[in-house]
Amino acid sequence: MGAGIENYRTTRLPRAGETILGHKFFIGFGGKGANQCVQSARLGANTSLICKVGKDSFGNDYVENLKKNGISTAFVGQTTEAATGTASIIVNNEGQNVIVIVPGANLLLNFEDLKRASDVIQKAKVLVCQLEISPAVSLEALKMARASGGMMGLTRDIIQEHNKHNECKSIPPHNKVNEMTSKPDLCLCPPSVAVVKTLFNPAPALVDLDPQFYTHSDIFCCNETEAEILTGIPVGNLEDAEKVGHTLLERGCKLVIVTLGAEGCMMISVEEPIPKHVPAGKVRAVDTTGAGDSFVGALAFYLAYYPKLPMEEMIRKSNCVASVSVQASGTQSSYPYRKDLPQDLF
């Protein structure tokens, strides 16, 4: 999703029915999918965004903004049937926020748009999805990514790239060995080695989320609020997050990350069913808006470019990137570039 963002700064958040004075206003770029894509791109990822914006000033500006961030806009459609999605954000002096989203053109992204983008989806190393477009379309994208990993979906280039970096021990007798590499053109390694890795961020969260989202996501990443909406478990501490993790594993998730703001993250997986707390460094937050998207975008980057890193280390590094973003105002405007980060993150 791409969206125009209206930011309002106040000393505190208003109560229901209350009018208060703000002290700052500005317009920027946002939308969860676009935010995540921008953060990945600023870390050095080759990214493409699949979305729809209005044929209006916001939409035109947004396409230019994506291009300036080095993001492919080949599958960013523009429509006259709806306005570009917008979000209004109120931020208090402590950096806490409340957000109202009007999806607009994002909800017009459809299955035909996905079909046109099928090649880029199936050739990606990582697909990131959210719920600011139609949930059915997000789910279909996850299914397309998953389908690309079957043996029938493997191109010779993908197979040879895999064989170049892996010692394949289980070889079918009919396999032809590549004379140049002394490795087979096909192997019996688990299909996941060539599957597009799927990272799902269930935001905005739905109480009645389709159960297929749990089983089609390699990584299921939610924050405390989303976790409560999905499971009914209020998350006030690490133990609550662990309960959420166990519940989501029972629903079919493979690996669950619950982001906990300044407290970092909790991770749990089918392979490692003992929950782990990955703390975040302590910083002074100026504006937490978009910090979760910065984290997801950074995690997508590490999944794609450092796939052999332990997941705990990927999360730790993503925490570091997100902690930089909260020290500046704005959403995408606060996202750090690779050159501005400690090089031990890479």
Side-chain angles (χ1 to χ4, degrees):
M1 174 177 173
I5 300 291
E6 295 182 339
N7 279 271
Y8 302 86
R9 299 308 162 95
T10 65
T11 54
R12 61 179 177 81
L13 302 179
R15 293 186 291 271
E18 182 184 19
T19 300
I20 63 175
L21 288 174
H23 55 263
K24 188 176 182 182
F25 169 79
F26 63 91
I27 295 176
F29 297 105
K32 299 195 72 63
N35 291 344
Q36 293 160 6
C37 203
V38 166
Q39 182 62 90
S40 287
R42 290 187 179 181
L43 296 179
N46 181 17
T47 58
S48 182
L49 184 65
I50 304 168
C51 72
K52 191 163 283 187
V53 296
K55 214 160 199 176
D56 49 33
S57 58
F58 266 142
N60 294 337
D61 290 346
Y62 215 113
V63 172
E64 287 306 308
N65 174 62
L66 294 171
K67 290 177 179 177
K68 286 178 181 176
N69 278 281
I71 296 166
S72 170
T73 59
F75 303 104
V76 177
Q78 286 191 274
T79 178
T80 57
E81 297 178 25
T84 299
T86 57
S88 290
I89 303 173
I90 303 174
V91 182
N92 67 11
N93 283 349
E94 284 71 50
Q96 301 303 309
N97 62 71
V98 291
I99 305 173
V100 177
I101 294 169
V102 180
N106 293 281
L107 294 182
L108 298 184
L109 190 74
N110 56 39
F111 296 120
E112 289 302 314
D113 296 317
L114 283 188
K115 285 181 182 177
R116 283 190 287 272
S118 62
D119 191 54
V120 74
I121 291 173
Q122 293 174 352
K123 288 182 177 177
K125 292 181 180 178
V126 179
L127 173 74
V128 185
C129 288
Q130 319 77 22
L131 293 174
E132 287 184 333
I133 59 173
S134 164
V137 175
S138 257
L139 182 57
E140 182 63 21
L142 291 171
K143 289 180 176 179
M144 289 171 67
R146 180 58 54 83
S148 73
M151 290 301 184
M152 294 301 292
L154 298 183
T155 65
R156 180 169 292 271
D157 287 346
I158 292 174
I159 292 168
Q160 290 179 345
E161 181 67 15
H162 164 64
N163 290 339
K164 192 164 58 177
H165 297 290
N166 295 273
E167 294 298 331
C168 306
K169 298 176 182 177
S170 183
I171 308 301
H174 61 273
N175 260 13
K176 179 182 176 184
V177 173
N178 187 313
E179 295 176 0
M180 294 186 68
T181 64
S182 298
K183 290 188 178 182
D185 279 346
L186 186 61
C187 72
L188 287 184
C189 289
S192 61
V193 295
V195 172
V196 179
K197 187 73 75 174
T198 53
L199 170 55
F200 179 56
N201 176 216
L206 300 173
V207 175
D208 57 347
L209 183 68
D210 189 318
Q212 294 180 87
F213 277 106
Y214 302 117
T215 56
H216 284 78
S217 306
D218 292 310
I219 300 170
F220 193 96
C221 180
C222 57
N223 67 17
E224 308 106 302
T225 304
E226 294 148 8
E228 180 176 356
I229 292 170
L230 292 167
T231 66
I233 302 171
V235 179
N237 52 47
L238 184 59
E239 289 71 28
D240 295 335
E242 291 172 357
K243 292 176 186 175
V244 167
H246 285 295
T247 299
L248 293 177
L249 289 185
E250 289 170 2
R251 293 183 185 179
C253 289
K254 300 171 187 65
L255 191 154
V256 175
I257 299 171
V258 180
T259 58
L260 302 167
E263 299 306 312
C265 301
M266 184 285 305
M267 64 169 283
I268 187 172
S269 68
V270 172
E271 293 183 355
E272 296 185 39
I274 299 175
K276 287 185 179 179
H277 178 219
V278 186
K282 299 300 180 185
V283 298
R284 183 184 178 280
V286 173
D287 183 354
T288 61
T289 309
D293 295 336
S294 175
F295 173 86
V296 171
L299 182 59
F301 166 78
Y302 288 114
L303 287 166
Y305 290 90
Y306 297 86
K308 293 187 178 181
L309 274 180
M311 179 54 62
E312 186 175 353
E313 184 64 9
M314 289 191 196
I315 293 173
R316 186 191 70 77
K317 290 176 182 288
S318 300
N319 276 341
C320 290
V321 175
S323 69
V324 172
S325 77
V326 303
Q327 297 177 66
S329 295
T331 307
Q332 291 178 20
S333 58
S334 73
Y335 290 173
Y337 290 85
R338 180 172 182 147
K339 64 181 177 61
D340 299 322
L341 292 166
Q343 288 310 295
D344 61 2
L345 292 179
F346 305 99

